[in-house]
Amino acid sequence: MRVLVVTAVPVERDAVTRAFGGTPDALAVPGAELHRSGAFDVLAGGAGPSAAAAAAAFALASASASQPYGLVVSAGIGGGFAPAAPLGSLVVASDIVAADLGAETPDGFLPVTSLGFGRDRFVPPPALVREVATATGAAAGPVLTVSTVTGTAARTAALLAAHPGALAEAMEGFGVGEAAERAGVPVLELRAVSNAVGPRDRDAWRIGDALAALTEAFGKSGPVLEGWNRHDH
């Protein structure tokens, strides 16, 4: 089975491909470049849900009929909600949630679904989530997709109040989910925690450690992803 992995930036893409060894082949697709390592095509699609959705959609549409993708993975580093997701830990999404897609009201935030249209989450195949969590030691729980990264304690508290049990936030998962859903392909999200969600403190960020954890995660989960079948999707 071929697996499409979508990251935001090249440094995350390269962290993923390092897990597979050797030098990946570079393949051009509309608007981007895929790095192919065996069954894995890894794409740096850009930051934010819109860029991620467009990049993933182009890649999915460019796949040959003889070698379609069987799975799409949104991957990279992200913020973790303390204490559940400490720095350097891994999170695999049980739910990929569009945390700020909706409307602010005097009574608080309303998700887009409460407005009577759209959707606000994708649910990855539960058995695959369990297998990846077991293989990597990742915690499984909701991962929030935001267009504006959280930088205050008040916003952190509001997100946790609206999404109890959330483990991490990032900027691309829901966009990748939109593209995967429209192509009829299951989606997964895997994040390595580089910083705590809350007041911005760049001196406390551990980007290098998170990228190393991301490489290790794909080294451990690669056989699971490549060998997975869609019996539970």
Side-chain angles (χ1 to χ4, degrees):
M1 183 180 73
R2 300 208 61 78
V3 180
L4 175 65
V5 182
V6 183
T7 72
V9 295
V11 69
E12 294 170 316
R13 176 200 63 203
D14 296 344
V16 173
T17 58
R18 274 196 297 273
F20 310 124
T23 302
D25 296 324
L27 305 172
V29 297
E33 182 180 80
L34 290 174
H35 285 201
R36 175 168 292 174
S37 295
F40 292 85
D41 287 351
V42 190
L43 166 70
S50 298
F58 272 122
L60 286 163
S62 299
S64 67
S66 62
Q67 287 190 312
Y69 292 112
L71 177 68
V72 183
V73 183
S74 176
I77 62 176
F81 289 97
L87 299 185
S89 67
L90 296 168
V91 174
V92 57
S94 62
D95 300 82
I96 301 171
V97 183
D100 53 10
L101 182 62
E104 289 287 351
T105 77
D107 297 320
F109 177 77
L110 289 178
V112 68
T113 50
S114 295
L115 304 177
F117 56 91
R119 64 186 302 168
D120 66 351
R121 72 185 56 227
F122 294 98
V123 178
L128 181 59
V129 171
R130 291 192 298 269
E131 290 177 26
V132 170
T134 298
T136 62
V143 175
L144 309 184
T145 299
V146 295
S147 295
T148 301
V149 173
T150 300
T152 67
R155 178 60 176 160
T156 303
L159 285 174
L160 288 174
H163 307 284
L167 295 183
E169 74 166 21
M171 300 181 74
E172 293 79 34
F174 191 80
V176 175
E178 285 280 16
E181 175 75 12
R182 293 172 191 231
V185 181
V187 67
L188 187 77
E189 184 168 10
L190 181 60
R191 294 285 168 181
V193 176
S194 59
N195 59 279
V197 178
R200 287 174 67 81
D201 180 6
R202 291 184 65 92
D203 291 337
W205 293 2
R206 296 293 180 266
I207 293 176
D209 292 343
L211 291 171
L214 188 64
T215 300
E216 184 177 357
F218 272 87
K220 292 178 177 178
S221 66
V224 174
L225 300 174
E226 184 179 357
W228 179 75
N229 65 64
R230 300 173 62 171
H231 62 85
D232 71 331
H233 181 66

